[in-house]
Amino acid sequence: MMALVLRVLLTVTLVVIIIMSGAKISESTRVFTIINKCKETIWPGIIPGEHFDGGGFELTSGQSSVFNVPVSWSGRLWGRTGCNFDKNGNGTCQTGSCGITLKCGVNGETPASLAEFTLAKPDFYDVSLVDGFNLPITITPINGTGNCSKAGCNGDLRTTCPKELAVKSDGKVISCRSACDAFNTDEYCCKNTFANPVTCKPTFYSKKFKEACPTAYSYAFDDPSSLFTCSASDYVITFCSSRNQKVCTFHDHKLICSGSKGLKSFARRWWAIIFSFFVIINL
């Protein structure tokens, strides 16, 4: 009898150790799922890009890509549009271009909507339109703890862009410049005497951006409603998502979706322990 009890205790202990070591692994990496819900093909650019297929790839409409990213990574991600690359990965893009290569090693050209991350304990993340807008983009944290709010923009500023900021191709607005990029004044760029949150205030143009994208940076000091934190989360970055669209991540061999907070997966793990316990008891 004593031997049976010891076997049970050892088995349960091993299962718990496996679960706990899985949690530690999840704390050291983040799963990034990048989804293209736009009607057109886009070419995400990422820097630093060593964990993202070299910093650039093609994503057709409806397609997604998944990456494991270590904690300590800090960088930015954006979408490029209207690209044409040859078999060697050389070419150009209408918006967001990072030179003439598919794999980005430098920042994309403005205007471009940016998703920005600093992975730590906790993570910091935001969507920034300080450099302008070219695509709707949202960040949805999944399975994390803390505030973990959705960041970004479902609205399409290309349809409401003030004409003095609009960038056109063949008569169609393909992106919207920021006021700083267009006019380069201290007030719009929050520099010199405006280089602090007291003197640098929302302008007519930043308010237009904020109306379309309430949880994205509309100007440099737009922190309170635009910068978010979350601990041990996975992230789904979606281009052209619809409002309140459900998104999912594949983590530790399980599909976890927005709103679940991992509770179903957690319950399944403990039911596995209980089931194992009774199986061994009845041997």
Side-chain angles (χ1 to χ4, degrees), residues 61-200:
S61 179
Q63 188 178 15
S64 61
S65 291
V66 180
F67 303 92
N68 292 313
V69 186
V71 172
S72 77
W73 183 82
S74 181
R76 54 174 50 183
L77 184 155
W78 69 98
R80 294 171 287 177
T81 64
C83 301
N84 185 11
F85 293 104
D86 62 22
K87 62 180 181 181
N88 297 316
N90 298 317
T92 58
C93 300
Q94 283 187 326
T95 72
S97 178
C98 60
I100 58 171
T101 62
L102 174 63
K103 312 292 185 182
C104 291
V106 297
N107 290 332
E109 293 179 2
T110 60
S113 318
L114 302 176
E116 301 176 312
F117 293 88
T118 296
L119 302 183
K121 295 180 180 181
D123 300 334
F124 290 81
Y125 61 96
D126 67 85
V127 167
S128 175
L129 308 182
V130 175
D131 290 334
F133 176 98
N134 70 331
L135 283 172
I137 181 172
T138 57
I139 301 171
T140 305
I142 296 180
N143 209 34
T145 58
N147 182 7
C148 299
S149 297
K150 187 174 183 178
C153 185
N154 298 112
D156 193 341
L157 269 163
R158 292 172 294 186
T159 62
T160 59
C161 183
K163 62 180 181 181
E164 58 270 33
L165 303 182
V167 178
K168 295 183 178 182
S169 176
D170 296 326
K172 179 183 177 181
V173 177
I174 59 173
S175 58
C176 189
R177 301 174 71 184
S178 69
C180 174
D181 187 38
F183 308 122
N184 193 30
T185 66
D186 290 356
E187 178 185 6
Y188 288 135
C189 296
C190 294
K191 61 184 181 181
N192 297 323
T193 58
F194 291 91
N196 64 77
V198 175
T199 56
C200 189

Side-chain angles (χ1 to χ4, degrees), residues 15-29 251-252 269:
V15 173
V16 171
I17 289 172
I18 291 170
I19 291 173
M20 294 305 293
S21 59
K24 289 179 180 177
I25 291 172
S26 68
E27 289 174 4
S28 64
T29 60
H251 190 115
D252 289 344
R269 290 181 183 182

